[in-house]
Structures are given as structure tokens and as C-alpha cells.
Amino acid sequence: MVTVAVRVRRKGLAAAAAGLALAAVLLLGRAPAAVQAFLGHRAETKCATAEDGAAWLREQGWEVEPEPTGQMEVLVPAQFDQLYESYNDIQKAQGFDISRYKGERVMKYTYLVKNYPQEPEGVAANLLVYQGKLIGADLCSLRLGGFLRGAAEGEKGRS
């Protein structure tokens, strides 16, 4: 067991928290989703196939079929407008950042979610994949005036 004692002044609290989070990553090998989001990035998640995407969604607590209902190549705009900035804010809150892929073509996989609270049908999960790596994930209502939110672990309780 490792014990660490730290005396921190208020000014250094954020730096100390970041340092402790980094130490946790180094000691544990993989940071929990909350630590990853705090650090502003997510450990690379391999997503070479649509089945890998379905498996990742199941790890987050979402029930989906192994095969997506749709897949298509999409272009991440080279310049983000307000809509894409807002979408990227959702991604950043989960530890992703699609701004790193401006101007790139990525695959978008869409799955139907069967266990969204209060909406057992009509919710889709979208995964963005670049060169076999998961770079973004969202859940959205298929109803008019619905919602759009993150799909990562720890997000499930929010609606």
C-alpha cells in the first residue's frame, strides 16, 4: 500500500489535483472516466469494427444490438460553427475532443438504445471512429425537440 501526504495551499489545489489524477493513471494504468474527463482526454479506445462499438456502448451500460442500424462516412468540418462547438463541448465533458480531427473523414455508427430511462424506444447512440479509434460518442432522442448528450460511463444518470 502506498500512502501519500500532501500539504497544498489553495492556489496549488488544482495543480495538486491534476498531479494526483496523473499519478492515479500511472499507478492504475487506466483512469476512470471522471479522471479522464478532468484531464481533458480519454485513454485511447480501440474501435476497429462495429461490434467493438456495440461492446463499448454495453460497457457504458447501454443495451444495443451488435450490428448498427446505420453507418456512414462523415466529414468533420475544418471550421467549427457554434453548433459544432456545442457538440464538441459534450465530447470534451466525456474526455473526447473532435476538434483534433477537423477536416478528417470519420465513420459514424448509429445504434438503437433499448434501455434509456423513460424512453425505451426512440433513442440512438452515435459513435465517431477515426482509423480504428473511438473519438466521440453521443445519445440522442429521435423525437422532435428531443435531447443530445454524452454516452460515456457516468453520463447514464443524467437526462
Side-chain angles (χ1 to χ4, degrees):
M1 178 177 192
V2 176
T3 304
V4 177
V6 179
R7 183 175 180 190
V8 179
R9 297 194 175 161
R10 270 202 155 154
K11 292 179 182 177
L13 188 58
L20 289 173
L22 181 59
V25 170
L26 294 174
L27 290 173
L28 300 175
R30 181 175 181 265
V35 172
Q36 293 169 2
F38 175 77
L39 292 174
H41 71 284
R42 174 176 287 279
E44 186 172 302
T45 301
K46 299 289 183 198
C47 193
T49 66
E51 291 81 15
D52 291 344
W56 183 85
L57 286 165
R58 285 191 294 274
E59 288 174 11
Q60 309 313 307
W62 305 113
E63 292 177 20
V64 297
E65 294 293 329
E67 290 298 318
T69 57
Q71 65 184 57
M72 64 193 303
E73 188 177 73
V74 296
L75 177 65
V76 177
Q79 290 285 92
F80 282 7
D81 60 12
Q82 185 58 43
L83 183 64
Y84 268 91
E85 289 293 346
S86 296
Y87 182 74
N88 200 37
D89 287 343
I90 292 169
Q91 299 310 316
K92 287 178 179 179
Q94 304 178 97
F96 296 117
D97 183 358
I98 60 171
S99 69
R100 298 175 184 167
Y101 304 93
K102 287 181 176 180
E104 299 289 347
R105 294 190 179 281
V106 303
M107 285 302 295
K108 176 183 168 187
Y109 296 97
T110 301
Y111 304 81
L112 290 180
V113 176
K114 302 177 192 176
N115 67 328
Y116 192 86
Q118 290 85 38
E119 289 194 49
E121 55 186 47
V123 174
N126 296 297
L127 302 182
L128 298 177
V129 177
Y130 179 73
Q131 296 182 349
K133 178 179 136 183
L134 183 64
I135 63 166
D138 69 75
L139 295 178
C140 64
S141 172
L142 300 176
R143 298 169 196 231
L144 187 61
F147 62 85
L148 175 68
R149 52 163 286 227
E153 178 182 21
E155 294 284 317
K156 189 172 181 182
R158 300 184 197 167
S159 52

